[in-house]
Amino acid sequence: MSSSAAAPLDAGIGAALRRLRAGAWRRHLLWGVLSLVVLGLLAILVWLARGHEIEQVQRALERDSADATQVLRERLARNVQDLHGLGSAPGDPAAWAGSAARLLDSHREWLRLQWRDPALALRAEADSPFHAPLPPDGPAAASDLERACAQARAQGEPIYAPSSFVLRGGGLGGEVMTLCAPLRGTSLQGFVVASYTLDELLRLLPAELTRGQSVALTELDGTRLAVHGTPRRGARLFVVQQPLELAGAPMLLRLEGARPLPDVFPNVLTALVTGLSMALITVLLLLARDFRRRQQAEAELAEALAFRKAMEDSLITGLRARDLQGRITYVNPAFCAMVGCAPQELIGQSVPAPYWPPERAQEYGKRQALRLAGQTPVAREGVETEFVRKDGTHFPVLIFETPLITAQGQHTGWMSAVVDMSAQRRAEEASRASQERLQASARLATVGEMASLMSHELNQPLAVIASYANGSLNLLQAAAGEQAHARELRTALERIAEQAGRAGKVIHSVRDLVRERSTARQAVAPQALVDTVLPLVQLQARKLGARVQVDVAPDLPAVWCEPTMIEQVLLNLARNGLQAMAEALGARVLSLQVRVLAPAAGQAVLEFRVADTGEGIDDAVAEHLFTPFFTTKPEGMGLGLSLCRTVIEQHGGTLRHATQAPRGTVFSFTLAAAVG
């Protein structure tokens, strides 16, 4: 590797090593995060295991609750079937009471069975042999029974009355619930009324459902009606409620079971084993990832060095690095090719540099000393100077220089970008020569345009001169020697002289323009400009039978212009307007108007308007109206309006056209008022 490329390669390798060292703290941080993640995983596993055990206990209690509810529903359904069998043939009240007594022997949950007629009058009854006889129903219980039987009559099915607390023998009591089942044959034969004790109803549940937990029947608001069993002692109470849907008296079946807290120790061991396994797998993955990243960083480093080397070799801008003592530490191939020296001839060189012109070495040395001392600003905008090649040829260069700052912020030298300006200077010279040739070509084109202008503009005064001359000859022939025609002859000859002088002024104006001289502009009254062209306009208007209207206020400010050129513009616009009305029907009126517009930038602007009542201008013609050599007249040259616009723009004004209502066209141009 050459010494010119050693510096950037070393810098690239150093940058890559710094990147690797900078990643060390990230790895330490990663291990700390990994430790926290492992501890967090252990805690989460313990919490999840404990939650899983709690969920299992809760689900077991829910299954027991569902089973208990199902058992009670099935037992109550069988009881209803037994009551229907008891009431299938009521017949004799004594026989019915005997059957009821036998049925009570197999149902400890019943306290009493009654047979009542459709009017709820008691026909027969039997009390349970397992419980003390029930006292007579109170008013509230009787009212609940009437409502239940009325609902059973209406729906044709057994209905439960709400439970109530009933005192029995020995000062004891309990919740009693009454069932009213209708007896139907061909018609309603009465009711079978069964009184349930809720305590015995809960004892119908299997022992495995009540072992270690309590079962209770509660109202919908949570009021306990009957409880069976006692929950074992524990640190946590689990509760499950299931609705026991009884027609007329809905209840809730509530199961309460206390369970000890789940053991933490086996869960911790499980979590530790799982966490350590996960940590080991994570460590292996991280090591593999770190190995891949190191390989990737090395590959990227090699690729970056190769790319930088190729980029430096392909640059056409010269690069030069110097240390704080002014010694050259690096040059790229473009700089070596620029000055014609090998890298070995430049690296380590100080003042004077081999590429400095000998006659300016002292000047360059002072300038470099000031720069190294920090007394000159950084040349970010570029400094133009001169170098010399090894063969002795001088060439201009543009130098951009910036300080070399390390990653730690230390200033170690200066980096310069050197651009060879030789090609740019040659391009500038070629561009300057091309510009001069273009100006010459434009001047020649202007000469041709002015020649066309001269031939176009001289047609009018020469035609007038010829007309006046012919008239003068006619007068001399028709009235030779008569004094009466002397005045007319004098006027005609004056007009001839005036138009001949005007033709001369046009020629002089064209000549001055071709020679790039400034035309003789002066302050001219707008009335004077109009009066100069008015006789010619009126002469042509009389031939066409048109009328000319002039509207020029007497107090208008003067305009700064070249009078002859502006008069030609007015005359050309007026002549075009008269020609546009040659074949128009109706009144032929040509209007010449001058007015003051709103001041622009503090200076007044005057507008000259020439309006006709012709047929107007088509849109297709309007697009090319000011195009040179475009004309709609058989005898026209197509230069009139183009030259008029050129003259007005040279005076700083604008030439426009617009449609006039109800018919016709308006041409207008603006001129700045004279100052002072």
Side-chain angles (χ1 to χ4, degrees), residues 8-79:
L9 290 178
D10 292 342
I13 294 173
L17 293 176
R18 285 193 296 272
R19 285 176 51 196
L20 293 176
R21 287 195 297 269
W25 69 269
R26 295 190 180 91
R27 288 192 292 274
H28 291 102
L29 178 62
L30 185 61
W31 284 109
V33 172
L34 177 61
S35 301
L36 294 177
V37 169
V38 171
L39 293 177
L41 288 175
L42 293 176
I44 292 174
L45 286 174
V46 173
W47 178 75
L48 290 177
R50 185 174 182 275
H52 177 71
E53 292 187 9
I54 292 174
E55 184 178 2
Q56 293 299 321
V57 172
Q58 184 72 23
R59 287 183 178 179
L61 191 62
E62 290 176 356
R63 288 194 299 269
D64 292 345
S65 175
D67 294 342
T69 303
Q70 184 66 23
V71 168
L72 290 179
R73 288 174 180 170
E74 292 176 354
R75 187 57 183 268
L76 291 175
R78 288 198 301 270
N79 289 352

Side-chain angles (χ1 to χ4, degrees), residues 84-362:
H84 281 298
L86 181 62
S88 59
D92 182 20
W96 186 92
S99 299
R102 288 190 295 273
L103 189 59
L104 285 172
D105 291 337
S106 59
H107 292 275
R108 296 181 63 91
E109 68 274 15
W110 283 340
L111 297 176
R112 183 173 60 190
L113 295 178
Q114 293 180 339
W115 173 28
R116 295 178 179 267
D117 61 12
L120 294 182
L122 183 62
R123 297 291 302 277
E125 67 177 354
D127 291 321
S128 173
F130 306 105
H131 305 284
L134 284 176
D137 294 336
S143 177
D144 292 339
L145 179 61
E146 291 178 1
R147 285 194 295 270
C149 292
Q151 189 175 357
R153 183 199 306 268
Q155 297 181 4
E157 61 182 13
I159 299 298
Y160 292 89
S163 65
S164 60
F165 185 80
V166 177
L167 287 173
R168 287 179 288 173
L172 300 177
E175 290 288 331
V176 177
M177 179 179 64
T178 304
L179 172 66
C180 183
L183 299 175
R184 290 186 178 273
T186 56
S187 61
L188 182 64
Q189 300 178 4
F191 301 93
V192 175
V193 178
S195 298
Y196 281 89
T197 171
L198 298 185
D199 293 334
E200 293 295 334
L201 185 62
L202 292 178
R203 289 188 175 89
L204 298 177
L205 296 175
E208 61 269 13
L209 296 180
T210 59
R211 186 180 299 113
Q213 57 192 16
S214 67
V215 183
L217 289 174
T218 67
E219 295 182 350
L220 299 181
D221 59 358
T223 303
R224 295 195 179 192
L225 302 177
V227 180
H228 178 64
T230 302
R232 66 170 65 124
R233 294 182 180 181
R236 180 166 181 174
L237 183 65
F238 297 87
V239 178
V240 177
Q241 295 186 146
Q242 289 283 346
L244 187 62
E245 298 175 355
L246 302 178
M251 295 182 185
L252 294 177
L253 182 65
R254 178 186 177 95
L255 266 72
E256 295 181 358
R259 297 290 187 273
L261 290 176
D263 294 333
V264 177
F265 184 72
N267 294 331
V268 170
L269 291 179
T270 304
L272 283 174
V273 174
T274 306
L276 291 177
S277 301
M278 294 178 62
L280 180 59
I281 295 174
T282 305
V283 168
L284 294 176
L285 293 177
L286 290 177
L287 289 176
R289 179 184 177 187
D290 186 69
F291 180 72
R292 287 196 305 270
R293 285 188 173 181
R294 284 179 175 271
Q295 286 185 326
Q296 183 180 2
E298 292 174 358
E300 290 178 355
L301 177 60
E303 184 179 354
L305 293 178
F307 176 79
R308 180 173 297 181
K309 180 66 169 58
M311 181 178 63
E312 292 173 356
D313 292 344
S314 65
L315 284 177
I316 61 173
T317 301
L319 298 179
R320 177 194 64 186
R322 294 182 294 180
D323 58 17
L324 294 178
Q325 286 73 37
R327 291 187 298 268
I328 300 175
T329 59
Y330 164 72
V331 288
N332 71 334
F335 187 86
C336 296
M338 189 181 300
V339 298
C341 297
Q344 294 79 5
E345 300 178 74
L346 298 175
I347 300 297
Q349 294 291 331
S350 184
V351 178
Y355 45 83
W356 285 1
E359 67 276 8
R360 305 184 64 180
Q362 186 176 2

Side-chain angles (χ1 to χ4, degrees), residues 34 152 188 282 339 369 391 411 437 492 502 505 539 557 632:
L34 177 61
L188 182 64
T282 305
V339 298
D391 59 4
H411 182 199
R437 290 194 296 270
R502 184 166 174 270
K505 291 181 180 180
L539 179 62
T632 58

